[in-house]
Each structure stands twice: as C-alpha cells, then as structure tokens.
Amino acid sequence: MEPDAPRQNLAISAYSTLKHDIIRGRYAPKEKLLMSRLKECYGVSTGPLREALSQLVADRLVVAISQRGYRVAPMSLAELNDIYDARAQLEGLILRLAIERGDDDWEASVLATAHRLAKVTDISSPDELLDGWDLRHKAFHTAIASGCNSPHLLQMRNTLFDQVERYRHLWLQETVMSPAALEQKRQEHAALVDVILARDAEKAAILMRDHLMTPVPIITRVLQNRGIS
C-alpha cells in the first residue's frame, strides 16, 4: 500500500502545470505566488502545492521568501547570458561525444526528427505552430544528444534546458511565427545534420554553439523593453 501516492500525484500534477504557466509568462518575474490563489486556480490543497513549489525552487523558477511564501524568480540579462553560454558549451561537448559514440540507429533518429521538424510549417494554427515547432525542435536536439550515451551529462542537459525555458519562450513568442526566422532555423538544422552525418565533431560543436546562441540578442531586446537589466 502507498497511502501517499494520491498526494504525490497531485503534487506532480501541480508542479507540471505551474511550471508550464511560469515558463509561458502567466506569472511575471518577482510576482508573489499567493497560496489561496494557487489553490483556487489549480484545485489542489496546500500540501501538494508546497511540494510543487519546493521543486520549482530547486529548478530556480521560484524563490522562497523566508516565512512569507514564494515569488516567481527574477530574470536578468546576466542570468540570460550565463545560462545560454553554459547550455551552448555543454551541448557542444555532448555533440562531440555523440559523434564519437553514436551508431547507425542514432543517425537514423537524427534524420527522422530533422525531417519532422522541417515539415512543421504544414501546421496552420498559430498556437499549434508554436507548440508543434517547440515539441519537434526539442525532439530533434534530444535525438542528437542521446548519442553521447551518458546519463549524467543528459541529466545536466535537462537541468539547463529547464532553466533556460523561461527565456527561450520569449524568443519563441517573438520569432516562431516569422517565415524568415523559421527558414533561418531550417537552414541551421540542415547544416547541423550534414556535419553530424559527416562525423565532423569540431565543426559540429562550433555550429551547435552558434545555433543555440542565436536567440540571445532577441531575448535581450525583449527584456530591455520590459525594463529588465
């Protein structure tokens, strides 16, 4: 018997939903997360909500304020640059290892996810396009990273990805509907696939780092327009 299982499931559900809402900007940076409002909004009691908020503190998306509750974590240009640089450096390392260790099945998964991503413009609805592109883009990069065959490196990658998501979503909102931006990304992805299949680890790592850093100037402008420095 596991009497705590229902509560644990509620906490997991609250964590997932609240995390999604923070990433998507439903709650502003530094906004106080009132327990009464959260209970009403997500339909769960205080216990599961506290567990969810504790996990979001560990994810650095929420800040605990002593005995006064929780706030959404602040955003800053310094954090933006640090997270993106760390992620780009780690992805470059992971890609080098994937090219060394990846087999034919790995290459096939990279090709398949790249093909699905390139066809995302077949989706017509703006909301579907944003969500569809994001899901397929994540699947493409996950397929590339999987070839490194290192669970610890992949866990570190997931942690950085979670921390970058709030910033990255600002870029998605700004550009994913733009045909020019989509075409630029399509070309970058095609170039990545070419060097991966050529097993050119040095060039692939450079292309990956450059590719992952391209959103930073756009996100910087968005943050500055919102008075975030």
Side-chain angles (χ1 to χ4, degrees):
M1 293 181 62
E2 295 184 43
D4 291 334
R7 171 171 166 159
Q8 184 179 26
N9 291 338
L10 287 172
I12 292 170
S13 176
Y15 164 74
S16 178
T17 309
L18 185 52
K19 178 180 178 180
H20 176 272
D21 288 345
I22 290 172
I23 288 170
R24 292 300 175 95
R26 179 174 180 177
Y27 303 102
K30 301 182 182 180
E31 180 177 345
K32 190 165 185 180
L33 296 169
L34 298 173
M35 195 63 69
S36 57
R37 179 183 171 193
L38 296 179
K39 287 165 65 176
E40 180 180 352
C41 182
Y42 299 106
V44 292
S45 61
T46 302
L49 270 175
R50 288 195 183 280
E51 292 179 36
L53 288 163
S54 294
Q55 183 57 51
L56 289 166
V57 170
D59 291 344
R60 302 179 71 175
L61 290 172
V62 167
V63 177
I65 322 164
S66 184
Q67 302 300 316
R68 294 177 294 169
Y70 299 88
R71 289 187 186 276
V72 177
M75 299 176 79
S76 70
L77 296 180
E79 183 182 57
L80 163 69
N81 286 286
D82 183 44
I83 293 175
Y84 262 88
D85 180 64
R87 180 174 175 236
Q89 298 294 339
L90 182 62
E91 291 273 1
L93 169 63
I94 287 174
L95 179 51
R96 284 177 182 274
L97 294 174
I99 287 174
E100 288 177 17
R101 301 171 179 175
D103 56 14
D104 290 347
D105 288 340
W106 170 69
E107 287 189 2
S109 70
V110 171
L111 281 169
T113 53
H115 179 69
R116 289 192 74 247
L117 179 57
K119 293 177 68 66
V120 75
T121 50
D122 294 346
I123 300 171
S124 56
S125 159
D127 287 339
E128 288 178 343
L129 178 58
L130 189 150
D131 290 337
W133 190 92
D134 198 23
L135 284 172
R136 295 185 189 193
H137 184 255
K138 186 174 183 178
F140 171 63
H141 280 280
T142 299
I144 292 173
S146 68
C148 78
N149 295 322
S150 170
H152 285 86
L153 280 175
L154 292 175
Q155 181 57 50
M156 291 171 63
R157 176 182 180 270
N158 288 339
T159 298
L160 279 174
F161 191 89
D162 283 347
Q163 291 175 13
V164 87
E165 272 289 82
R166 200 161 45 134
Y167 292 94
R168 184 172 163 275
H169 189 69
L170 296 177
W171 170 76
L172 276 176
Q173 288 177 310
E174 285 287 308
T175 66
V176 79
M177 307 308 168
S178 159
L182 286 173
E183 176 59 22
Q184 178 188 346
K185 287 299 171 185
R186 189 197 65 77
Q187 292 177 11
E188 290 175 11
H189 295 145
L192 268 173
V193 171
D194 286 345
V195 293
I196 286 170
L197 296 181
R199 300 281 175 160
D200 188 337
E202 181 65 30
K203 187 172 182 181
I206 292 170
L207 281 181
M208 179 63 82
R209 288 195 295 268
D210 290 347
H211 170 65
L212 293 178
M213 293 300 289
T214 52
V216 172
I218 295 168
I219 301 169
T220 298
R221 187 186 72 241
V222 172
L223 292 176
Q224 288 174 334
N225 288 343
R226 297 183 181 187
I228 297 173
S229 59

